[in-house]
Amino acid sequence: MKTAFVLLAAGVALLLALPVLLSQGLLNAAIQMLIAALFASAYNLLCGQAGMLSFGHAAYFGVGAFGTVHAMNAVGGAGLLPTPLLPLAGAVCGLGFGAVAGWFATQRSGTYFAMITLAIAELVHSLAPHLKGLFGGEAGVSTMRMPAWGFDFGSTTQVYYLTLAWVLLSVALLYLFTRTPLGRLAFGLRENSHRLRFLGYDVHGLGMAVFAISAMFSGIAGALQVVSNESANYVVFDPGLSAAVVLNTYIGGVKVFLGPAFGAALMTFFGYAASDLTQSWLLYQGILFVLVMMFMPAGLTGLVGTTGQLRERFGLARVVPLALLAAGAALLLSAGGVFLIELLQRVFSQDYRALVQQHAGSPWPPVTLLGRAWAPGAALTWCVPVMLFAAGALLAWLGRRRLAALAAQEQGGSAQAHVHADAAATGAGRGKEGLA
């Protein structure tokens, strides 16, 4: 517990120091990471803790965003709703719309619940472009941050600290909610809703309350997006945003409270960094999600717990080589995959095909990758990913073999300890018989 508190304090201190450490461009990316982290945490309240998989949570993010942009234009960031308190408008809008949508959605469970949430989100997304008075049509609705409380909110740094304050407060409230009786009952919804109903609880009302609270914090995330961008477009209702929060939540890990926030921040930064480097960054994101679900169903934060369990079982000295083998295998396999994907992307691109047609009858032109030219028709070019995959697979095999050997040694030592214990017990019994 003390270690977790120290790590949490260190993380907050690092977040507070980011404006000093980062450029303005990276600070903008940090704002988007914080917003995505809050959105994923709000979604995890519904999905991870209450066990209700929603495919349309962008609807409540978008409603909070448009509620805030209209509030900014209506009150001008002054009066009872100054600029620092504008996310309250997103919270109210998200809560109200979430309560209405949740009443319908929680009438059913499982797949039917997921389909209802998807239908509600698609309905809002399809209606938004046609309701120009409310959503502004294709252009959306623009606004401007106004000074308040001695701040002009004209710099990225001030917007960052405002976003950070709301995110930390919201995540803290979400955590405190999980410690309340209602939050504890949310876990019961996930584990066994029939038993809750048998015990006399209003399962529908409980599910609706959790849904509305999740939508409220999603609305706060949408409000912070508007405060940052000073505009809102119906694109915030896009199904891709609903899909992204699902991916981010599960990549981070739904069983750890801060897992979805970590996954959302990581994937947001990945998109920010990789989108400038490659056109295939969405493909990498999808591959990462598939690999995490196949080999790490507990998410990336589950690696911490798994490493801790291995250290307790085998000791740090034995776990370090195992971790190095796993890291080396992951690095080599990733390098091989990146090389192959980028090579194929360049070979099958329209520009390259046009270049091949211009030099018809000649060998295929070389492809520039990793700072050097590679001939697509040369066997050596395709041997590079093959060798990387082979080396990564070898390290992975060695790691699995070492883990199996450690487990066998543990079982052998446990069996030997049982034999010695049985022998000692037998000897003690014979001693008692001799004395008798």
Side-chain angles (χ1 to χ4, degrees), residues 10 30 74 79 90 95 136 151 153 189 200 210 248 280 311 321 325 333 338 366 384 409 411 413 428 436:
L95 179 64
F151 302 98
F153 297 105
L189 281 176
V210 175
N248 294 341
S280 306
R311 184 178 61 82
L325 286 173
L333 291 173
V338 169
V384 172
Q409 291 178 7
Q411 292 178 357

Side-chain angles (χ1 to χ4, degrees), residues 25-105:
L26 289 176
L27 196 60
N28 275 317
I31 293 173
Q32 299 305 313
M33 291 166 64
L34 288 172
I35 295 171
L38 174 57
F39 189 27
S41 297
Y43 177 78
N44 190 52
L45 175 65
L46 181 69
C47 178
Q49 296 176 32
M52 294 186 283
L53 180 62
S54 170
F55 286 151
H57 234 55
Y60 319 105
F61 182 94
V63 166
F66 274 100
T68 303
V69 76
H70 286 301
M72 292 175 73
N73 288 330
V75 302
L80 296 177
L81 202 63
T83 299
L85 298 183
L86 280 171
L88 292 176
V92 172
C93 294
L95 179 64
F97 186 62
V100 175
W103 188 88
F104 289 100

Side-chain angles (χ1 to χ4, degrees), residues 316-367:
L316 183 61
R318 294 182 176 182
V319 170
V320 169
L322 187 63
L324 292 176
L325 286 173
L331 182 61
L332 289 173
L333 291 173
S334 299
V338 169
F339 187 94
L340 184 60
I341 290 172
E342 292 301 317
L343 183 61
L344 291 175
Q345 187 272 325
R346 284 162 172 76
V347 169
F348 288 103
S349 66
Q350 294 182 356
D351 294 339
Y352 187 79
R353 282 184 293 177
L355 188 62
V356 170
Q357 292 176 359
Q358 290 179 0
H359 299 81
S362 303
W364 284 11
V367 174

Side-chain angles (χ1 to χ4, degrees), residues 60 96-107 113 120 204 207-209 211-212:
Y60 319 105
F97 186 62
V100 175
W103 188 88
F104 289 100
T106 53
Q107 298 282 348
F113 169 84
I120 292 173
H204 176 247
M208 175 183 165
F211 194 104

Side-chain angles (χ1 to χ4, degrees), residues 134-328:
L134 187 60
F135 299 109
E138 296 285 344
V141 181
S142 300
T143 186
M144 183 177 295
R145 296 186 297 266
M146 300 302 293
W149 296 359
F151 302 98
D152 59 10
F153 297 105
S155 67
T156 305
T157 301
Q158 292 185 9
V159 175
Y160 171 81
Y161 280 121
L162 176 61
T163 304
L164 177 62
W166 272 101
V167 169
L168 292 179
L169 176 62
S170 300
V171 171
L173 291 175
L174 282 169
Y175 177 75
L176 292 176
F177 174 78
T178 64
R179 316 303 294 181
T180 63
L182 180 60
R184 293 294 187 182
L185 287 175
F187 289 102
L189 281 176
R190 182 188 67 191
E191 300 298 333
N192 196 334
S193 61
H194 297 290
R195 186 174 183 181
L196 285 181
R197 186 178 289 107
F198 178 78
L199 292 174
Y201 291 101
D202 182 5
V203 174
H204 176 247
L206 176 61
M208 175 183 165
V210 175
F211 194 104
I213 293 172
S214 175
M216 178 182 71
F217 285 100
S218 299
I220 294 176
L224 293 174
Q225 182 75 40
V226 167
V227 172
S228 174
N229 294 343
E230 298 182 304
S231 65
N233 189 282
Y234 77 93
V235 175
V236 294
F237 295 114
D238 191 84
L241 185 59
S242 295
V245 72
V246 177
L247 297 180
N248 294 341
T249 300
Y250 277 94
I251 287 175
V254 296
K255 296 299 179 64
V256 180
F257 177 76
L258 290 178
F262 172 77
L266 178 65
M267 297 310 297
T268 302
F269 179 76
F270 174 81
Y272 176 83
S275 60
D276 292 335
L277 300 176
T278 175
Q279 300 177 7
S280 306
W281 66 276
L282 285 175
L283 176 62
Y284 292 123
Q285 189 179 51
I287 292 175
L288 178 60
F289 176 74
V290 172
L291 293 177
V292 168
M293 291 297 98
M294 288 181 62
F295 301 106
M296 293 180 292
L300 295 177
T301 54
L303 288 176
V304 179
T306 302
T307 304
Q309 293 175 1
L310 291 175
R311 184 178 61 82
E312 292 178 359
R313 286 178 60 186
F314 307 124
L316 183 61
R318 294 182 176 182
V319 170
V320 169
L322 187 63
L324 292 176
L325 286 173

